[in-house]
Amino acid sequence: MNNNNMTEHSTPFPHREGLGVRSKIYIAGHNGLVGSAIWNNLKARGYENLVGKSHKELDLLDPVAVKAFFDEEQPDAVVLAAAHVGGIMANLQYRADFIYRNLQIQQNVIGEAWKHGVKKLLFLGSTCIYPGEAPQPMPEDCLLTSPLEYTNEPYAIAKIAGLKMCESFNLQYGTNYIAVMPTNLYGPNDNFHLENSHVLPAMIRKIYLAKCLNEGDWEAVRKDIGLRPVTIKNTDKRVDADSTEEDILFVLAHYGITPEAVTLWGTGAPMREFLWSEEMADASVHCLLNVDFQDVVENSDFVVNHDGIKEIRNCHINVGTGKQLSIKECAEKIVAEIGFKGELRWDSTKPDGTMLKLCNVDKLHRLGWHHTIEIDEGIHRLYEWYLQGICINHQG
C-alpha cells in the first residue's frame, strides 16, 4: 500500500517505469464496447497477461468480492471501463441507478487499486461531465463552471467523482492514475437495445428494421428480433422470431419503426461528436502505456489562488475527434448507408438533450494521439458488423 502523505504539490510528480508486456493488467468491463476494444488493442501490442471477469464472475458493486479479487490477482495496472450506461431515455427514468451504481463501482475498484499498490490506473469517464451550456469546443477546464444537463446529471456527477478520485489520490499519495473522458462512442459490440442504447446504434437498428418492413423482408425482421427480442417497457408485449406479424408491427411501431417511416426522438438539431470505439481503445492504451500524471500536469495551465496555492485540477483528458455533425445529418447518413426508402420523421415532443457537445482535444493532441476514422467510414463499419452478427447468430 502506498501511504506516503504527499502535501507539497509544487514537488514534481515522477515519471514512472512503463508497463512491460508481461505486466498483469486488469480490464474492468472487458466485455463491453470500450473494454473489449481495449483488450484487443493490448493483445495486438503483445500484452498477454490480461485479466477480465464477467459480471457473473465478479460483481463490482460488491466491495467484499472486489477486495477478494484484488487480493488474489494483484494486478500491476487497472483499466476501469466498467460502468452503468444508457441513452437519454434510460438516464431520465433510472436516475438513482446511474449515480448509485457508478459511484459504487468506482469506489470499490479505485479504492482497492490504491490499497494494493497498483502502478497505473486508467479511468474512463464521459464528456457528459461538462455543463449543459459549456463553451464550444469544451476544454477540460470548463468542468464545474455551470449547471449540468438535467437529463444525465446523476451519471455525470458519478463520473466527476471518479475523475476527482484519481486526481486526489495522485495529489495526496503520488499515485499515477489517468482519467480520460471520451465523446460519444460507437463500434463493435455496441448495444442495439431499442430503449437503452446510445443514439447512433439505436438509429442503425431502427432504420434497418424499417427498411426490412418497407421491403417486406420478414425473414430479415425475424432474424433481427430473434437475436434481440423487443419488449414494450412495463407491459407484457414482447416479440421475437416466432411472434405474429401483427404483434411485431405493433411493438416496433411503439419505437417509431413502421414500413413507411422511422420516427426519432427530438428535433434532430443537437450537434454530436462520434468516435469509433476501437480508436477510443487506441487512445486509452496510448495513455495507459505512454502518459504519466506528470505529463498531464506539464500539459495543463493552472492558476495560483489568493492563498498562493497552485490549483492542480482538471487533469483529465478529453478523447474525441474535435469534429461534429447534427443528429439529423447522422440519421440521413445512416439512411443512405442502409438504403431505406421511407421517410425520416422527428418527434419534437421528446427531449433533445444537450444541444452542443464538442470536445476540445488540444491536450490529447499534445500528448501524442490523433483520430483517423471519420464518421462515414465508421457508420459503414458498424452497419457491416451489425449485419454480420445477425447472419452468424442465425446460422448458429
Side-chain angles (χ1 to χ4, degrees):
M1 183 185 298
N2 185 353
N3 282 321
N4 294 325
N5 187 10
M6 186 173 175
T7 57
E8 286 296 329
H9 295 175
S10 59
T11 302
F13 299 94
H15 287 273
R16 306 302 174 89
E17 180 182 346
L19 296 170
V21 292
R22 295 182 180 177
S23 299
K24 179 182 283 191
I25 304 175
Y26 166 48
I27 303 174
H30 76 293
N31 288 324
L33 173 65
V34 183
S36 61
I38 290 174
W39 182 286
N40 293 335
N41 190 288
L42 283 165
K43 282 276 191 180
R45 293 174 187 243
Y47 287 79
E48 295 290 339
N49 196 6
L50 306 181
V51 180
K53 296 288 185 181
S54 68
H55 176 70
K56 289 183 178 180
E57 295 172 310
L58 176 60
D59 182 1
L60 296 178
L61 295 173
D62 182 348
V64 175
V66 175
K67 179 183 182 302
F69 167 79
F70 274 86
D71 286 344
E72 179 179 353
E73 294 291 345
Q74 298 289 331
D76 298 303
V78 170
V79 176
L80 182 44
H84 183 67
V85 300
I88 187 171
M89 185 186 298
N91 273 274
L92 271 171
Q93 294 178 341
Y94 309 115
R95 299 176 73 81
D97 290 349
F98 277 91
I99 191 167
Y100 168 75
R101 293 182 183 181
N102 285 296
L103 284 174
Q104 191 79 345
I105 290 169
Q106 295 162 192
Q107 171 79 6
N108 292 338
V109 175
I110 297 174
E112 292 302 329
W114 171 69
K115 291 175 184 176
H116 288 80
V118 164
K119 296 177 183 177
K120 190 76 174 284
L121 182 142
L122 185 75
F123 171 72
L124 277 69
S126 166
T127 53
C128 74
I129 62 170
Y130 294 119
E133 297 182 4
Q136 299 295 311
M138 302 178 294
E140 286 86 354
D141 61 8
C142 75
L143 182 67
L144 299 176
T145 55
S146 60
L148 298 163
E149 169 65 31
Y150 178 76
T151 53
N152 58 17
E153 184 180 67
Y155 177 75
I157 288 174
K159 288 301 179 181
I160 292 170
L163 75 87
K164 287 297 181 183
M165 280 186 71
C166 293
E167 192 174 272
S168 299
F169 272 104
N170 290 341
L171 293 174
Q172 183 173 347
Y173 294 112
T175 50
N176 197 15
Y177 300 166
I178 305 296
V180 292
M181 301 295 124
T183 189
N184 302 285
L185 302 174
Y186 68 108
N189 297 314
D190 219 328
N191 173 19
F192 289 86
H193 190 285
L194 290 180
E195 184 179 56
N196 296 328
S197 63
H198 286 122
V199 60
L200 199 151
M203 289 194 297
I204 283 181
R205 188 179 184 197
K206 287 181 177 182
I207 293 168
Y208 168 72
L209 283 169
K211 172 183 182 285
C212 295
L213 291 176
N214 182 268
E215 296 175 353
D217 189 349
W218 279 96
E219 181 183 2
V221 172
R222 292 184 185 280
K223 284 182 182 179
D224 182 284
I225 63 176
L227 179 59
R228 299 178 178 87
V230 181
T231 304
I232 298 179
K233 184 176 175 288
N234 296 328
T235 73
D236 59 357
K237 282 291 185 181
R238 178 184 184 276
V239 291
D240 56 26
D242 299 321
S243 300
T244 67
E245 291 185 7
E246 181 181 9
D247 285 343
I248 292 172
L249 287 169
F250 177 82
V251 171
L252 293 184
H254 174 79
Y255 289 102
I257 304 164
T258 69
E260 300 79 27
V262 172
T263 302
L264 302 174
W265 272 35
T267 64
M271 303 294 291
R272 288 292 180 270
E273 175 184 19
F274 294 102
L275 179 67
W276 184 247
S277 60
E278 291 174 328
E279 290 220 287
M280 173 58 199
D282 194 63
S284 297
V285 173
H286 172 81
C287 291
L288 178 69
L289 302 180
N290 302 307
V291 177
D292 288 334
F293 185 65
Q294 171 66 30
D295 300 313
V296 180
V297 170
E298 291 174 352
N299 281 276
S300 304
D301 295 322
F302 304 114
V303 301
V304 176
N305 66 24
H306 63 279
D307 291 319
I309 299 172
K310 181 187 287 186
E311 296 184 350
I312 299 178
R313 61 172 75 200
N314 301 330
C315 295
H316 54 286
I317 306 165
N318 288 342
V319 180
T321 64
K323 300 179 180 181
Q324 63 182 343
L325 75 165
S326 71
I327 296 294
K328 182 179 180 182
E329 288 174 308
C330 186
E332 290 170 347
K333 287 180 180 292
I334 294 170
V335 166
E337 173 67 32
I338 293 176
F340 175 50
K341 302 303 181 183
E343 186 180 353
L344 194 59
R345 298 173 183 169
W346 300 91
D347 182 357
S348 60
T349 66
K350 298 294 193 297
D352 270 326
T354 306
M355 295 304 294
L356 298 171
K357 197 178 177 186
L358 178 65
C359 283
N360 182 315
V361 289
D362 290 348
K363 184 188 290 187
L364 179 65
H365 289 172
R366 290 195 299 269
L367 291 167
W369 190 89
H370 295 72
H371 84 284
T372 59
I373 297 175
E374 304 295 351
I375 186 66
D376 294 277
E377 180 184 353
I379 288 173
H380 175 72
R381 286 191 184 194
L382 186 57
Y383 182 51
E384 289 295 310
W385 182 89
Y386 185 72
L387 290 178
Q388 183 181 30
I390 294 173
C391 291
I392 290 173
N393 281 274
H394 183 69
Q395 291 169 357

